[in-house]
């Protein structure tokens, strides 16, 4: 049961925004670090901006002293708020507090990881360090002094003087909100490069790691330099300090954090070597390094007025990292990957009880809103805006935004106004993308008669929690057409669908094949009853790589869904088309890997549910296996020849080209394992000289039921934390569904299991709840019970990660009555057992009552 004396969580509303009456323009901090008794002395330069009391935020602080202009005062401290009633127009507020970083297991505020001190202040962690106006519209310059018996002492901005053993001073000249504050102290070693900006500023770039990890920093540094050059070239944005530091931390709640001049990374998202990281790890590192770097302008120089505007920095920065990756690698492969992520995470969120607009109107705990909707759909909204105003218009709008709002805490309205002004467009209807939740469904019907091709387009935005009715949105639909021989007869054009129903007409000699939603021009679900024949034409010939891949995906999805619900089998036409693609030497191997990948179990379950069929997790699992077997049998001996052709000679290179070959080889190996019981995978495991090939073979062998490979892997890698995360996760995710819970339970008793480390916790608990759907959803409810128990336990130490992972239950209304009952019971148990407002809010919203 919940503590009766815990106050009911407060709901915060966008409409209630009011600027502070008294602001802080400069922050002077001094830290004397100690695991259990760190002293924080803060001197805040305060200025009155309007009438009212000054209310500071503080959480779990032991207050030692408060003075105003040097005179000791005793302000009212009520829980997490300190009120200064009659503040003068300008004054200096000093506080001294004591905190215990070693006891901070929430990994928010100042905490310790392997003997190293580090901070995480977004969104509201600064208040766990000292008293302050902990909100993004209060921007101040910072001076920070650190005393500790440690060699490396870092904070934001530029170093003042030298970093002598035990003492350092930093000055950050750029006004910033509290959430961008950072401090790191420990035994760390740097890898250093230098970069000269387009404005001729010399910048020292450092990646700081624990001794022993120096050999894994090169790729991140390289990605950082390329990001800096790219942002100068594409957005005209240059870096603005003399040093840029990145620090790797083992215990971290998310991927990384864009603190001004001192980015802090989950070590998983920065450290890589060929022996320990996979191609996906490399790509992920490249993307996240770029993402955090890009925040320097979209987030830091221009920040958010309040947390409701979170997508202003996150959606835009994700869009920028996607653009960067498309330029650095294959644009086609990048786009398909981005859409896969969007559908897997955001469409699922949008279809369930947690659906919310890209700009929410209320929240209880802001940490619960770092979601796929804010990030991924937020990025899609930027992409649509760019499509509507064109690439030149987009460049003009961005330039105006940087010019007008540099140094501001801005809003979505500010952002859109720049485009209205620069491009002379009316974005009133477009703004609905920020305020209406739910994935629009686009209906397409085609008619052809007497030389006229008619397209009837409809849109429907489904109801979501708190939003029963929706207005029609402005939806950019890119499309083209081919003739039935595959030649393009209509080049890509964009129609912005703005009403519920619209008709387009074209004069054509014959009925063409429609290629709709090229490049996935809008985050919508397409209801288009296209024939297999048309889809096969698109799969073989479409000039738009996304639409080409999507045609294959639609064919596969259709077959898998019908196999589950009607017991049909797989037809030769489909298998022939897949075989043709697989053996098409002209096609990019990475594209072939994507084209042969089947829709995920979760994707199929969501689509079946949307089609009115109650999904059966076991049947979905079994059908996907049968489809893989059918593809493997159809490819037959081609499989081995194809694998031979994918061989990558020479030393490991994380390039997109080599990674594409390895990805396709892994796809083929998985198919081969369906028919040879693991012989090829065993050979591949023994031959692997990099972690990408090794993991591919390892997971195939786990699926084939090999009983010795896990032990061999462990013996080789037991001392490597990041590699062992893979070992923990793979054994659960690739277990047979009936063994998955047992494996997860067994692994929680392994001596290296550590629930306090989010990566390890996610490997084991997420390995089941996200990695093995049929194992999580076994009809006895054991999977639900296991995950709920672990989350209730974790919630006491680390509410952020517990709440984030509770989304495993967001699909509960999808399933049959028995599973719904079991999942609801698990949710109720979590809600009643939760102690944080994070997990209480999430479970309450999921239950929907
Ligand atoms: N702003 C960070 C990013 O997108 C993410 C972030 C938000 C975060 N809150 C966090 C990271 C808490 C770690 C912990 O890049
Ligand atoms: Zn971000």
């Amino acid at each position: 049961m919940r503590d009766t004396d815990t106050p009911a969580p407060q709901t915060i509303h966008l409409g209630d925004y009011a600027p502070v009456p008294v602001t802080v323009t400069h922050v002077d901090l001094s830290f004397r670090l100690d695991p259990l008794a760190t002293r924080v002395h803060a001197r805040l330069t305060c200025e009155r901006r309007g009438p009212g009391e000054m209310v500071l935020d503080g959480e779990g602080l032991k207050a030692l002293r408060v003075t105003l202009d040097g005179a000791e005062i005793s302000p009212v401290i009520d829980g997490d708020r300190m009120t200064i009633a009659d503040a003068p127009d300008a004054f200096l507020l000093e506080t001294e507090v004591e905190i215990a970083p070693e006891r901070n297991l929430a990994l928010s505020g100042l905490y310790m990881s392997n003997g190293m001190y580090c901070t995480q202040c977004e969104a509201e962690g600064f208040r766990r360090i000292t008293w302050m106006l902990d909100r993004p519209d209060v921007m101040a310059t910072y001076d920070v002094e650190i005393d500790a018996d440690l060699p490396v002492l870092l904070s934001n901005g530029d170093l003042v003087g030298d970093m002598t053993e035990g003492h350092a001073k930093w000055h950050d000249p750029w006004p910033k909100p509290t959430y961008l504050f950072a401090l790191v102290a420990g035994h760390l070693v740097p890898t250093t490069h230098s970069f000269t900006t387009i404005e001729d500023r010399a910048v020292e770039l450092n990646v700081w790691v624990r001794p022993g990890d120096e050999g894994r920093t090169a790729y991140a540094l390289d990605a950082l330099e390329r990001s800096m050059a790219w942002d100068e070239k594409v957005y005209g944005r240059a870096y603005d300090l003399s040093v840029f530091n990145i620090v790797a931390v083992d215990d971290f709640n998310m991927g990384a954090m864009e603190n001004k001049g001192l980015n802090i990374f989950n070590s998983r998202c920065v450290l890589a070597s060929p022996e320990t990281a996979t191609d996906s790890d490399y790509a992920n590192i490249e993307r996240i390094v770029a993402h955090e770097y890009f925040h320097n302008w979209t987030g830091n120089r221009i920040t958010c007025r309040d947390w409701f505007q979170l997508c202003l920095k996150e959606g835009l920065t994700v869009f920028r990292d996607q653009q960067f990756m498309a330029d650095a690698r294959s644009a086609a492969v990048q786009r398909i990957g981005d859409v896969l992520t969007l559908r897997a995470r955001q469409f699922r969120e949008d279809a369930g009880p947690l659906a919310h607009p890209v700009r929410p109107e209320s929240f209880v705990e802001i940490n619960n809103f770092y979601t796929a909707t804010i990030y991924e759909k937020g990025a899609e909204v930027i992409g649509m805006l760019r499509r509507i105003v064109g690439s030149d218009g987009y460049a003009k709008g961005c330039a105006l935004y940087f010019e007008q709002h540099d140094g501001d805490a801005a809003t979505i309205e500010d952002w859109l106004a720049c485009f209205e002004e620069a491009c002379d467009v009316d974005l009133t209807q477009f703004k609905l993308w920020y305020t209406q939740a739910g994935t629009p469904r686009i209906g397409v019907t085609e008619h052809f008669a007497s030389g006229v091709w008619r397209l009837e387009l409809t849109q429907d935005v489904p109801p979501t929690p708190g939003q029963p009715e929706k207005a029609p949105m402005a939806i950019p639909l890119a499309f083209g057409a081919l003739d039935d021989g595959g030649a393009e007869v209509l080049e890509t054009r964009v129609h912005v669908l703005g009403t519920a129903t619209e008709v387009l007409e074209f004069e054509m000699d014959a009925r063409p094949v429609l290629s709709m939603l090229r490049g996935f021009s809008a985050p919508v679900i397409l209801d288009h009853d296209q024939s297999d024949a048309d889809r096969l034409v698109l799969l073989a010939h479409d000039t738009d790589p996304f639409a080409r891949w999507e045609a294959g995906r639609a064919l596969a999805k259709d077959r898998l869904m019908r196999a589950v619900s009607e017991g049909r089998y797989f037809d030769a036409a489909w298998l022939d088309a897949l075989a043709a693609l697989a053996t098409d030497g002209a096609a990019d191997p990475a594209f072939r890997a994507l084209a042969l990948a089947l829709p995920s179990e979760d994707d199929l379950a969501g689509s079946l549910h949307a089609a009115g069929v109650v999904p059966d997790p076991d049947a979905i699992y079994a059908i996907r296996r049968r489809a893989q077997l059918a593809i493997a049998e159809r490819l037959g001996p081609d499989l081995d020849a194809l694998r031979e052709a994918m061989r990558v000679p020479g030393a490991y290179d994380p390039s997109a080209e080599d990674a594409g070959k390895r990805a396709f080889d892994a796809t083929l190996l998985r198919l081969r394992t369906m028919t040879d019981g693991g012989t090829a995978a065993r050979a591949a495991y023994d031959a692997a000289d990099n972690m990408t090939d090794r993991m591919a073979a390892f997971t195939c062998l786990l699926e084939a039921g090999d009983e010795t490979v896990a032990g061999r892997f462990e013996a080789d890698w037991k001392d490597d934390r990041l590699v062992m995360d893979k070992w923990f996760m793979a054994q659960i995710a690739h277990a047979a569904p009936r063994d998955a819970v047992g494996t997860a339970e067994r692994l929680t008793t392994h001596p290296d299991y550590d629930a306090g480390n989010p990566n390890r916790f996610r490997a084991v608990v997420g390995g089941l709840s996200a990695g093995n759907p049929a194992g999580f959803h076994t009809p006895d409810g054991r999977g639900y019970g296991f995950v709920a128990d672990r989350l209730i336990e974790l919630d006491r130490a680390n509410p952020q990660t517990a709440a984030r992972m509770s989304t495993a239950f967001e699909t509960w209304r999808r399933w049959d009555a028995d599973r719904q009952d079991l999942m609801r019971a698990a949710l109720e148990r979590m809600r009643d057992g939760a102690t944080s407002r994070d997990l209480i809010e999430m479970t309450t919203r999921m239950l929907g009552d």
Side-chain angles (χ1 to χ4, degrees), residues 258 291-292 295 313-314 317 375:
E258 70 263 24
H291 179 98
E292 306 310 334
H295 269 314
K313 73 177 179 84
E314 295 304 347
T317 304
Y375 277 66

Side-chain angles (χ1 to χ4, degrees), residues 632 635-644 667-669 671-672 675:
L635 283 173
D638 281 347
L639 265 175
D640 300 309
L642 276 171
R643 288 199 61 213
E644 196 55 41
T667 306
L668 297 165
L669 183 62
L671 294 173
R672 169 48 82 224
T675 54

Side-chain angles (χ1 to χ4, degrees), residues 346 349-352 354-358 361 377 429 432-441 459-475 498-500:
Q346 202 278 324
E349 183 166 84
D350 237 356
L354 299 175
H356 56 276
V358 169
E361 238 119 73
K377 188 174 179 180
Q429 189 187 17
L432 289 172
W433 282 106
Y434 288 98
T435 57
Q436 290 194 158
T439 309
R441 294 194 85 103
Q459 64 162 296
D460 175 42
V461 191
T464 47
Q467 294 189 332
E469 311 282 332
K470 306 285 165 79
M473 325 249 285
I475 303 176
T499 59

Side-chain angles (χ1 to χ4, degrees), residues 108-122:
S108 159
L110 177 67
Y111 65 96
M112 300 198 72
S113 171
N114 297 313
M116 151 185 168
Y117 293 85
C118 68
T119 56
Q120 172 55 43
C121 292
E122 189 174 5

